[in-house]
Amino acid sequence: MKILLENVTKIFPGRGKGAKEVRAVDNFNFEIPDGKLIGLLGPSGCGKSTTLNLLSGLLQPTEGKIFFGEDEVTNLPAEHRGVGLVFQNYALYPHLTVLQNITFPLENLKGDAKLTKEERVKRATEAAKLVQIENLMDRKPGELSGGQQQRVAIARALVKMTKVLLLDEPLSNLDARLRLQTREEIRRIQKETGITTIFVTHDQEEAMSISDMIVVMKDGLVHQIGKPQEVYDNPTNLFVAKFLGTPPINVFAGKIEDGALYVGEDKLFDVSVDVKPGDVYVGIRPEGFVLQADGPLHCSLSRVEVMGRDMSVVAGHPAFLDASIRAIIASENLAEISGDAVNFDVKPGKVLVFDKETEERILI
Ligand code: ADP
Ligand code: MG
């Protein structure tokens, strides 16, 4: 099911005297295509859960409209929207078995939607198979691991066979390995069922790895929407550039002068004559450095961390704006590094320039 947000704003009133109101979601306009997995990504407090709750019907927007397919659902109560919801805290019923937890949303269906007990068990078994817990149906939540509990929560959201699945940081309570495994499983289930899914996370790697499209948010505003790789390669501003990628992009103070791009006093390369001269931020992705003895970027060498196939060259530069530069280089080049200095050339496609005032991207 296609989802459309039209000028959607949610303002929470300030609590207490003189408290300021919060624009948790500020004028959202975007369309979520049918059958895709969308990663809603941004730092804590940026309005992700609020957006999800507006879509689920648990919250009403202050302004704007929400459409599911052709139907407006802005004021439709949550129970009539046909969405499956999974939260960070799975909130299973501890005294019910896995089977009873999964069939719970089917118990009180009315009229045409009413199901017999056999039908309910059949649906629950199908959902349980999708998340591979069909052999745990008689257990209670207390007898399951965190990962298994989260799968029960996902099965419970799937059992209604809704057209939309909303997941709010569903993996944050799992350990690293299980998180990786479960996110791949969510992707597989989403592809198998074709259910339009919105996956909320503050973890950029998680969002990038499984989403068809990511929506990057900050302070209630959408900063960029696109395919993960496109957003990584072409961020619209410094915030998006810094938010995506591990290790993060390396940001330097620079300038455009006499038709060339400088980092501090080092001239990196010539740019189009049309680019306005002035102070800029220069972002270089870790994979954008090339070891070169007479390269234009003159850095001090702190240390080298070899990590199998790659090594991380940790370096310094007078114009660098953070703790230390991290360049990712194939470890076979280790022999080229010695002493306390290192020079780099850069791959122009991995160098991103931003206006110093607005922090918007400048195309060079
Ligand atoms: P996220 O899920 O991205 O961490 P939220 O959507 O939960 O962020 O919150 C966005 C902003 O709205 C935060 O500043 C938060 O404090 C505020 N907020 C969320 N819910 C409420 C509420 N019920 N009342 C007042 N402020 C709220
Ligand atoms: Mg949240």
Side-chain angles (χ1 to χ4, degrees):
M1 172 120 65
K2 177 179 91 176
I3 299 175
L4 180 69
L5 289 96
E6 215 175 73
N7 305 318
V8 172
T9 293
K10 179 67 183 177
I11 299 173
F12 291 113
R15 290 243 168 80
K17 234 173 86 188
K20 269 179 52 184
E21 61 179 31
V22 180
R23 290 183 92 84
V25 166
D26 197 351
N27 197 24
F28 275 19
N29 283 290
F30 58 85
E31 189 179 308
I32 295 166
D34 181 35
K36 299 287 184 199
L37 194 159
I38 305 306
L40 197 57
L41 176 66
S44 177
C46 72
K48 303 182 296 296
S49 294
T50 305
T51 308
L52 216 67
N53 290 335
L54 290 168
L55 291 172
S56 71
L58 295 175
L59 285 175
Q60 252 74 59
T62 314
E63 280 169 45
K65 293 180 179 174
I66 299 171
F67 295 86
F68 281 9
E70 303 306 317
D71 302 326
E72 186 181 346
V73 298
T74 317
N75 296 308
L76 197 65
E79 61 270 27
H80 296 130
R81 285 200 190 187
V83 297
L85 266 172
V86 181
F87 296 105
Q88 177 178 348
N89 302 312
Y90 344 114
L92 300 176
Y93 300 106
H95 57 286
L96 300 184
T97 64
V98 167
L99 175 66
Q100 289 165 333
N101 265 286
I102 300 174
T103 54
F104 193 82
L106 305 177
E107 301 288 338
N108 295 313
L109 297 177
K110 301 264 170 5
D112 290 348
K114 199 166 164 52
L115 298 173
T116 65
K117 175 134 198 274
E118 277 106 72
E119 286 167 331
R120 294 198 297 267
V121 172
K122 185 164 170 280
R123 289 264 284 271
T125 311
E126 283 165 15
K129 277 189 181 149
L130 266 175
V131 296
Q132 296 168 348
I133 49 161
E134 69 270 27
N135 55 344
L136 303 174
M137 297 298 246
D138 297 327
R139 294 217 201 156
K140 299 263 173 76
E143 298 159 351
L144 301 176
S145 71
Q148 291 167 335
Q149 289 184 31
Q150 187 59 311
R151 288 170 200 218
V152 177
I154 295 170
R156 191 174 58 182
L158 290 170
V159 78
K160 286 184 286 180
M161 300 206 287
T162 55
K163 299 217 163 62
V164 176
L165 181 63
L166 305 174
L167 305 160
D168 194 350
E169 312 232 13
L171 311 180
S172 358
N173 287 347
L174 306 182
D175 68 45
R177 202 170 61 85
L178 209 50
R179 220 161 47 218
L180 214 72
Q181 199 183 334
T182 314
R183 83 182 186 206
E184 277 159 21
E185 220 150 89
I186 288 175
R187 179 53 163 170
R188 175 183 61 76
I189 293 163
Q190 190 274 330
K191 280 204 163 145
E192 273 179 41
T193 56
I195 186 169
T196 306
T197 302
I198 302 172
F199 182 101
V200 162
T201 177
H202 61 272
D203 181 333
Q204 55 92 23
E205 196 205 320
E206 201 166 279
M208 300 263 293
S209 61
I210 62 168
S211 308
D212 293 304
M213 197 168 102
I214 54 171
V215 177
V216 186
M217 298 178 57
K218 186 192 169 203
D219 297 338
L221 290 168
V222 170
H223 279 242
Q224 193 164 357
I225 300 176
K227 291 187 179 154
Q229 192 65 39
E230 284 171 14
V231 179
Y232 179 83
D233 289 336
N234 285 307
T236 57
N237 58 38
L238 186 61
F239 164 72
V240 176
K242 284 164 84 167
F243 200 70
L244 300 186
T246 33
I249 193 164
N250 299 283
V251 183
F252 301 81
K255 65 186 173 195
I256 290 173
E257 200 175 85
D258 305 328
L261 177 65
Y262 289 81
V263 159
E265 298 304 313
D266 294 341
K267 178 179 162 181
L268 288 192
F269 49 75
D270 290 331
V271 296
S272 141
V273 281
D274 296 338
V275 181
K276 210 171 87 210
D279 288 340
V280 295
Y281 290 117
V282 180
I284 306 178
R285 292 275 182 209
E287 67 276 22
F289 296 89
V290 182
L291 278 180
Q292 190 174 306
D294 60 352
L297 190 62
H298 306 287
C299 297
S300 58
L301 179 65
S302 306
R303 63 181 188 281
V304 179
E305 295 166 4
V306 181
M307 313 163 290
R309 189 190 47 180
D310 294 327
M311 62 183 172
S312 180
V313 179
V314 185
H317 188 282
F320 191 61
L321 295 171
D322 231 313
S324 42
I325 300 166
R326 273 184 185 270
I328 303 293
I329 310 267
S331 6
E332 64 210 35
N333 300 308
L334 183 60
E336 292 175 40
I337 303 179
S338 64
D340 52 9
V342 60
N343 292 340
F344 295 107
D345 196 1
V346 292
K347 301 175 189 163
K350 295 287 180 185
V351 178
L352 305 169
V353 177
F354 303 92
D355 186 287
K356 182 134 187 249
E357 298 304 319
T358 64
E359 302 192 354
E360 296 293 315
R361 173 98 182 271
I362 300 173
L363 292 171
I364 50 168

